[in-house]
Amino acid sequence: MKILMAAPFQANGRYKGGISSVVNNMLLQQNVLDKCNLEIIKFNTCVVKRTVGSDANFNKDNIKNAIFLYNKISKSILEYRPDVLYYHSSIRYALLKDLLVLRHAKIKTKVRTVIHIHFADYEKIVTGISLVDDIILSILKKYVDEIVFLSRTTMNSFIEHGIESSKCSVIYNFNTLTLKENNIDISNHENKLVRLLFVGTIGKRKGFFDLVKALENIDRNKYELHVCGEPTNDESKSEFEKCKDKLGKNLVFHGFVSGQERDFIYKNSDIMVLPSYGEGLPMVILEAFSAGCAVISTNVGAIPEIVRNENGVIIEPGDTDALTRAIMFYISTPENLLKVQQTNYLYSKKFTCEEFIKKVAVVCRKGDESE
């Protein structure tokens, strides 16, 4: 089966986020794609150079990018003759843009269409503007053959708004670490620094500044915070500099990391902390499972569906007191930390790229009478 996969394969100035990681790691699994009889043709949806933090906003560069996609997508379909147009999208105006492009392609070529929405909170996926959201729902109903969600809760919310349940599926993300059990340091950390890990854009949405506030109430002889990511804008950069001053040597900044450097940081961490205000299904949490880390996060998106009591601690976004207590719980009870670390390493086997690709193949073949 030939699939034209539309996604931000190259970031082109923006933050290299979860969608890019998903699609590019899929392409690395050629043996699995062959087993599933899938031929992936790349269609990069991030063409016009833009800045970090411009995602899903209504601005000049995003409009220029949308015009390019609108003109190019149908030509690519007519050139490659795929069985399916599989479109990876996100939220708000980015989703609207992608749906308008997909609608145009559907009308022009009659290609079978799938949209994969990489967020897991209905109220944040839509814009909140009735006229715009009516357009989004209308296109999903009339021009999209299959919709993939990151969580069951999100899928049910769309079904409540009139989307047919028969065209809806849930596919959880996957982890991309390649660590083996004997590579993971899941030892008792009594009388040692507990190594906290934050991975993501440094800004308000990911809750980074809440994490720093929570850590101000914890003995600095007890922890070390490793930060992987970049500030989203100038305001975040300024605030981040203040955070570095507050935490001093307890904050170790790595910037954007990948490959062996990323793997090394994960395997030497104890707790992934992601106190986010909005998410889909963060790959960083799945990677934390694979590295044998406990997880402290918030009850947003699909996170509560995969992080349970045996995997970590879930708190409300913005509750810095609860965040402090959660971190202190693991610092003060290393036996509980060790137990969760061991559990999460085994739990991670459910979230592999191979399983993800198999489920994508099932979605693409739904309604294919020749299969």
Side-chain angles (χ1 to χ4, degrees):
M1 172 172 278
K2 190 183 294 185
I3 299 173
L4 184 68
M5 186 160 286
F9 286 94
Q10 287 86 41
N12 211 350
R14 297 193 299 175
Y15 183 79
K16 297 177 183 177
I19 301 178
S20 178
S21 181
V22 166
V23 295
N24 283 303
N25 277 284
M26 283 181 68
L27 296 182
L28 296 177
Q29 303 294 321
Q30 190 57 53
N31 61 327
V32 180
L33 293 170
D34 291 341
K35 286 179 184 177
C36 295
N37 192 29
L38 297 182
E39 178 187 351
I40 304 295
I41 303 163
K42 291 168 56 176
F43 182 91
N44 186 35
T45 58
C46 189
V47 180
V48 176
K49 187 174 179 61
R50 285 163 287 173
T51 60
V52 172
S54 66
D55 307 45
N57 295 324
F58 193 75
N59 59 45
K60 180 183 68 176
D61 288 335
N62 283 346
I63 292 171
K64 286 169 60 179
N65 195 71
I67 292 171
F68 174 87
L69 299 180
Y70 194 85
N71 293 327
K72 181 70 175 177
I73 191 81
S74 296
K75 293 179 181 177
S76 294
I77 293 170
L78 293 173
E79 177 182 356
Y80 294 108
R81 299 291 178 180
D83 300 293
V84 176
L85 168 62
Y86 197 109
Y87 213 120
H88 293 267
S89 188
S90 57
I91 61 173
R92 300 194 306 270
Y93 292 108
L95 175 61
L96 174 64
K97 172 262 296 180
D98 292 336
L99 284 171
L100 289 171
V101 172
L102 182 148
R103 174 185 176 276
H104 173 69
K106 182 73 171 180
I107 292 172
K108 290 274 288 185
T109 69
K110 310 301 182 185
V111 69
R112 182 170 178 77
T113 54
V114 178
I115 194 157
H116 194 136
I117 300 176
H118 289 262
F119 210 79
D121 185 331
Y122 177 83
E123 297 301 329
K124 293 177 180 175
I125 290 173
V126 297
T127 66
I129 301 172
S130 296
L131 179 61
V132 176
D133 293 343
D134 286 346
I135 295 172
I136 288 173
L137 291 170
S138 176
I139 296 174
L140 286 172
K141 291 173 186 177
K142 296 179 182 179
Y143 299 100
V144 181
D145 296 302
E146 299 291 335
I147 309 169
V148 177
F149 297 99
L150 295 189
S151 82
R152 296 192 180 281
T153 301
T154 311
M155 179 181 72
N156 291 336
S157 295
F158 274 86
I159 291 172
E160 290 172 3
H161 284 82
I163 302 298
E164 294 178 25
S165 59
S166 60
K167 65 195 291 183
C168 297
S169 300
V170 174
I171 303 180
Y172 293 128
N173 283 344
F174 55 89
N175 72 74
T176 59
L177 291 189
T178 56
L179 304 181
K180 297 180 180 178
E181 189 169 12
N182 59 6
N183 293 140
I184 299 170
D185 182 7
I186 45 177
S187 56
N188 191 310
H189 292 285
E190 191 172 9
N191 299 322
K192 297 181 183 179
L193 289 176
V194 170
R195 297 160 298 197
L196 308 174
L197 176 63
F198 175 91
V199 181
T201 52
I202 298 170
K204 178 177 172 56
R205 186 174 77 83
K206 293 286 185 178
F208 177 79
F209 303 126
D210 290 341
L211 172 56
V212 172
K213 184 178 179 180
L215 290 174
E216 290 179 35
N217 300 315
I218 298 176
D219 184 349
R220 294 195 183 186
N221 294 314
K222 300 290 187 181
Y223 74 88
E224 188 173 74
L225 172 62
H226 291 258
V227 179
C228 301
E230 298 288 350
T232 55
N233 51 41
D234 290 339
E235 182 181 353
S236 295
K237 287 179 183 177
S238 176
E239 191 66 27
F240 181 53
E241 292 302 317
K242 296 177 185 177
C243 293
K244 289 196 287 187
D245 290 338
K246 288 178 182 177
L247 299 185
K249 66 179 183 179
N250 289 78
L251 191 158
V252 182
F253 179 54
H254 300 277
F256 180 83
V257 296
S258 60
Q260 292 183 349
E261 182 184 7
R262 177 200 62 167
D263 292 358
F264 178 83
I265 293 169
Y266 268 99
K267 79 175 184 179
N268 286 287
S269 298
D270 299 307
I271 307 169
M272 163 67 71
V273 188
L274 185 69
S276 186
Y277 286 79
E279 289 291 344
L281 176 52
M283 293 184 72
V284 296
I285 287 182
L286 303 180
E287 289 166 349
F289 288 159
S290 185
C293 293
V295 172
I296 299 174
S297 193
T298 48
N299 60 347
V300 298
I303 294 173
E305 294 185 21
I306 62 166
V307 179
R308 304 176 182 122
N309 289 337
E310 63 269 26
N311 309 117
V313 179
I314 293 291
I315 63 171
E316 292 285 337
D319 191 341
T320 55
D321 290 338
L323 183 53
T324 299
R325 290 194 298 271
I327 295 170
M328 279 304 304
F329 169 72
Y330 285 125
I331 289 176
S332 60
T333 59
E335 67 280 4
N336 285 312
L337 176 57
L338 177 62
K339 182 178 179 180
V340 172
Q341 288 175 312
Q342 293 169 330
T343 296
N344 285 353
Y345 174 75
L346 297 174
Y347 184 50
S348 71
K349 305 307 176 187
K350 294 183 178 180
F351 305 101
T352 65
C353 188
E354 181 172 356
E355 289 303 311
F356 182 92
I357 291 172
K358 288 177 180 177
K359 290 172 182 175
V360 167
V362 170
V363 168
C364 289
R365 289 191 168 90
K366 280 177 67 175
D368 187 345
E369 297 178 358
S370 64
E371 293 291 326

